[in-house]
Amino acid sequence: MGGAMKIWISQHVRTLIAVIARLARTPLASLFNIGVIGIALALPAGFYVGLFNLQGFSRELAADPQISLFLALDAGPADLAQIENRLRQLPGVRKFRYISREQALADIKRSTGIADVIASLGQNPLPDAFVVDAADNGAQALEKLRDEFTRWPKVAYAQLDTAWAQRL
């Protein structure tokens, strides 16, 4: 058994020496072959990483279009309560959430690198807002709902986010 093992090891050593000699005789061709094998092995891993990142990005996108209601800067607590009641009673609204101007400012400070610029402003320039999910996601129904929101008192602007979705 010891002799068979010595023969097996010596064959492997001779094969390794022959491979190294062949690589030394044609270094450029060998380098290209090694590169091709490396790329062939790396492609599946690269595709997997790309697909994983794309899935993460698609999860972050809102599946349903939303309407953002930006209120006038002079809107008070009574105006907020009135708009909130109207949103609750409107049948075209599935759900909504309120974003205060302080919360919006804090979110911008956290998510962007312009905290110093925002701190240099004397006051908060952002309005209070409501983000509305509609019951019907058809383009005509969303535009009709947006148009209705723009007619409400103390709503400065209503923005429908389907334009970017249609472009995408």
Side-chain angles (χ1 to χ4, degrees):
M1 186 111 158
M5 185 63 127
K6 283 183 181 181
I7 294 172
W8 182 79
I9 290 175
S10 68
Q11 286 178 347
H12 278 79
V13 168
R14 278 187 291 208
T15 305
L16 179 63
I17 292 171
V19 167
I20 291 173
R22 187 178 293 172
L23 288 174
R25 281 193 305 264
T26 56
L28 189 60
S30 299
L31 184 65
F32 282 133
N33 285 336
I34 292 170
V36 167
I37 291 170
I39 290 171
L41 293 174
L43 276 177
F47 285 139
Y48 175 75
V49 169
L51 182 62
F52 183 76
N53 289 335
L54 186 61
Q55 286 174 340
F57 175 71
S58 67
R59 273 187 232 110
E60 291 177 9
L61 293 176
D64 297 329
Q66 297 175 328
I67 302 171
S68 300
L69 304 180
F70 299 102
L71 306 184
L73 291 175
D74 63 346
D79 299 317
L80 291 174
Q82 181 184 16
I83 291 173
E84 189 171 342
N85 286 335
R86 290 180 86 169
L87 286 171
R88 278 196 182 98
Q89 295 172 0
L90 195 64
V93 174
R94 182 169 39 101
K95 66 178 182 176
F96 65 91
R97 65 184 165 96
Y98 170 70
I99 301 172
S100 69
R101 58 192 316 181
E102 292 80 18
Q103 179 185 354
L105 186 66
D107 289 347
I108 288 178
K109 282 182 181 178
R110 263 194 319 271
S111 66
T112 63
I114 58 171
D116 295 337
V117 174
I118 292 173
S120 70
L121 298 174
Q123 60 183 354
N124 184 353
L126 300 174
D128 292 315
F130 285 94
V131 178
V132 178
D133 290 340
D136 182 4
N137 288 334
Q140 291 177 343
L142 288 168
E143 289 174 6
K144 182 179 175 187
L145 199 57
R146 181 200 57 202
D147 293 342
E148 182 173 342
F149 291 149
T150 57
R151 291 191 296 269
W152 287 6
K154 298 296 180 178
V155 173
Y157 185 69
Q159 179 180 350
L160 180 60
D161 71 350
T162 57
W164 70 268
Q166 289 172 350
R167 280 184 263 152
L168 183 65

